[in-house]
Amino acid sequence: MEFRLLPDALEVQESERWVKIGGHIKVLARTRSSDQKRSYGVLLEWKNLDGVHLQDIVLIRHLQGDNSRLVREILIDSGYQLEPSPQAWQRLQRYLLNELQRAEPATCVERTGWHAEGFVSPGWIAPRGNAKVHLLRKGLDVELRSSGTLEQWQEEIGKVCIGNPLLIFCCGVALSAPLLSSSGVENVIFHLYGDSGSGKSTAMKVATSVLGDESLMRTWLSTANGLAAAAALHHDVPLFLDELSQAKPEDADVAVYSICNGRPKLRSNETGQLAIGESWRTIALSNGEVTLAEHLAQLGKEPLAGQLSRVIEIPITGQYGMFDTLHGFKRGDLLSDELKRRCKNYYGTLFPAWVDRLVSYEEAELARKVTGLLNYHSELMKEDAEVTLDYSVSPQVMRVIRHFAIVQVALI
């Protein structure tokens, strides 16, 4: 069976004529897992009815298996023009499987973050060298979008952070998540708390603009399992959680441990055996009008020492709420409104540039560099803390110091 691909159609030869079976669609790569033992599939690119080019990975087990109709439905739902004849789908399957044999190999990964081939995000890939890697977007609802240029972000948003330490810190939190892998620092939640109108949400929007648009900001209003699932989707990517008071105290109590331990709840699979889910690394930036202790007081309990070292609470104590410098604005609320407006126009350019810089190092070299800087700044912070407190810091305080130090390393 012979096929030919035209700019607007895929055709198959029948006897002496060519018959259209669908719109333009082609195989860009033959994908599989890093160990070349599973997840074989095809990276497809097709054009829909509006001329928009779309890409996705289809696993061979879905293309050839009982779920092949789901692949067909996904294509049609996206606007792919499949001819209504009964044979059209079977012929399209045959075409894709034929093309699979000739396609260049590439690695398929199923989660964000660091892999041997580089850093993978839900929106772009930063490969090491000439590695070819693609993300299988299975169940992902995260998208790292961008608007404007890095220079525009620096001019419109970055400059406003000058003289405002809390804004700088929030940007540092957003940049520090990719450093966890190299540093060995544990997951943590930085929680900003203060009165309504103090600028908490504005600071979150500024931090979110480092990665992408406002859709990245999640809410505490979820179950403990839902919050853990959100953290799992942000592997090596920062997690933003808005307004702690919206969470039920019992959910917040459990979620703190789950997010920071980086492990899902134990479950059994369909055979009754233990299903081991993948762990995750993330740094979360949270906000709220209450502290964790105040929230858990509704349950009649106090946070445990382990929770207090996992949730680092930072009061908003700037001269103008979140701000210490207003950059010519008469009031903090006016600056806040302007920053929110700018964050809608300029976002998602700093984080990719930062990751590109990290990927330029070999894995071992990056680990040495990050660990060295982390230890140096941790020791400086430890010495300052001991001078201020007039006694040696405890292991729990040292854990908190290292979390602040990894943010410092990201800001260097």
Side-chain angles (χ1 to χ4, degrees):
M1 189 174 291
E2 187 175 352
F3 300 91
R4 71 178 182 183
L5 185 62
L6 303 176
D8 293 307
L10 173 66
E11 297 180 341
V12 63
Q13 189 173 32
E14 285 187 357
S15 301
E16 300 297 324
R17 64 192 184 99
W18 289 93
V19 177
K20 182 179 179 180
I21 60 176
H24 182 90
I25 186 170
K26 62 182 177 181
V27 174
L28 298 181
R30 168 173 57 85
T31 60
R32 71 277 196 266
S33 62
S34 297
D35 60 9
Q36 301 180 17
K37 294 181 180 179
R38 56 187 174 82
S39 298
Y40 274 82
V42 286
L43 174 64
L44 300 182
E45 180 180 83
W46 66 94
K47 187 163 61 174
N48 70 10
L49 292 168
D50 290 312
V52 178
H53 287 267
L54 302 171
Q55 287 188 9
D56 203 355
I57 292 175
V58 174
L59 298 179
I60 297 175
R61 66 173 182 264
H62 295 158
L63 185 61
Q64 285 189 290
D66 296 335
N67 291 328
S68 65
R69 64 178 183 83
L70 297 179
V71 178
R72 176 179 177 273
E73 290 173 2
I74 289 171
L75 287 171
I76 293 174
D77 184 64
S78 73
Y80 179 73
Q81 186 181 7
L82 182 67
E83 291 298 299
S85 67
Q87 301 85 10
W89 173 240
Q90 289 83 1
R91 289 171 174 175
L92 178 57
Q93 286 177 285
R94 177 72 176 271
Y95 162 75
L96 296 177
L97 293 172
N98 286 351
E99 292 297 301
L100 168 70
Q101 307 300 322
R102 296 190 286 267
E104 290 290 324
T107 299
C108 168
V109 299
E110 299 187 18
R111 66 187 318 197
T112 62
W114 288 106
H115 299 270
E117 296 80 7
F119 191 92
V120 176
S121 91
W124 43 264
I125 309 292
R128 278 199 168 101
N130 296 320
K132 295 180 180 179
V133 57
H134 303 278
L135 177 65
L136 177 63
R137 299 187 58 82
K138 181 179 63 177
L140 290 180
D141 65 348
V142 182
E143 186 76 39
L144 299 191
R145 305 181 182 91
S146 64
S147 177
T149 65
L150 176 57
E151 292 73 22
Q152 287 175 317
W153 185 92
Q154 292 169 327
E155 182 68 27
E156 300 293 332
I157 298 175
K159 280 190 175 180
V160 179
C161 295
I162 297 173
N164 291 306
L166 280 176
L167 289 183
I168 295 173
F169 175 78
C170 290
C171 291
V173 172
L175 294 172
S176 59
L179 301 182
L180 295 182
S181 175
S182 302
S183 65
V185 172
E186 302 165 323
N187 294 3
V188 67
I189 301 172
F190 288 104
H191 179 66
L192 304 172
Y193 68 94
D195 296 335
S196 177
S198 59
K200 303 183 302 297
S201 294
T202 300
M204 293 283 284
K205 291 180 187 295
V206 168
T208 303
S209 75
V210 170
L211 276 81
D213 63 11
E214 295 178 8
S215 67
L216 292 176
M217 192 182 302
R218 298 180 181 269
T219 174
W220 275 99
L221 183 59
S222 180
T223 64
N225 287 342
L227 290 167
L233 292 176
H234 288 251
H235 181 62
D236 287 333
V237 177
L239 173 66
F240 303 104
L241 295 172
D242 190 37
E243 196 46 64
L244 174 61
S245 63
Q246 291 183 347
K248 292 180 179 180
E250 56 269 28
D251 285 324
D253 189 21
V254 175
V256 164
Y257 274 112
S258 183
I259 292 171
C260 295
N261 286 341
R263 294 188 179 278
K265 183 178 179 180
L266 295 179
R267 302 177 184 275
S268 60
N269 57 26
E270 61 272 11
T271 66
Q273 296 178 321
L274 185 64
I276 307 297
E278 288 187 296
S279 60
W280 61 81
R281 295 181 296 258
T282 190
I283 288 183
L285 182 63
S286 163
N287 72 29
E289 295 182 30
V290 298
T291 65
L292 179 64
E294 291 170 336
H295 202 46
L296 295 186
Q298 299 178 49
L299 298 176
K301 63 184 296 186
E302 295 181 357
L304 301 175
Q307 287 175 311
L308 292 177
S309 63
R310 287 170 168 83
V311 180
I312 301 175
E313 297 179 323
I314 303 172
I316 296 176
T317 58
Q319 186 176 354
Y320 310 99
M322 179 60 66
F323 310 111
D324 289 289
T325 303
L326 295 181
H327 292 278
F329 288 83
K330 292 183 178 181
R331 301 192 312 270
D333 63 314
L334 297 177
L335 174 57
S336 181
D337 290 343
E338 177 60 20
L339 265 178
K340 290 178 182 177
R341 185 192 68 80
R342 294 180 184 184
C343 288
K344 290 180 179 293
N345 296 322
Y346 310 106
Y347 54 81
T349 53
L350 179 56
F351 194 73
W354 169 237
V355 171
D356 280 340
R357 181 181 176 188
L358 298 180
V359 169
S360 68
Y361 295 97
E362 292 295 329
E363 188 174 352
E365 182 185 6
L366 179 62
R368 285 194 301 269
K369 192 175 185 67
V370 171
T371 302
L373 289 170
L374 174 68
N375 292 338
Y376 173 74
H377 288 286
S378 295
E379 191 60 31
L380 287 181
M381 292 181 185
K382 173 177 176 289
E383 292 174 0
D384 289 342
E386 290 179 339
V387 169
T388 302
L389 299 173
D390 198 26
Y391 58 80
S392 297
V393 301
S394 67
Q396 287 178 332
V397 173
M398 195 63 210
R399 176 187 292 178
V400 172
I401 286 174
R402 286 179 66 81
H403 283 127
F404 277 109
I406 198 65
V407 175
Q408 176 68 29
V409 172
L411 289 170
I412 294 176

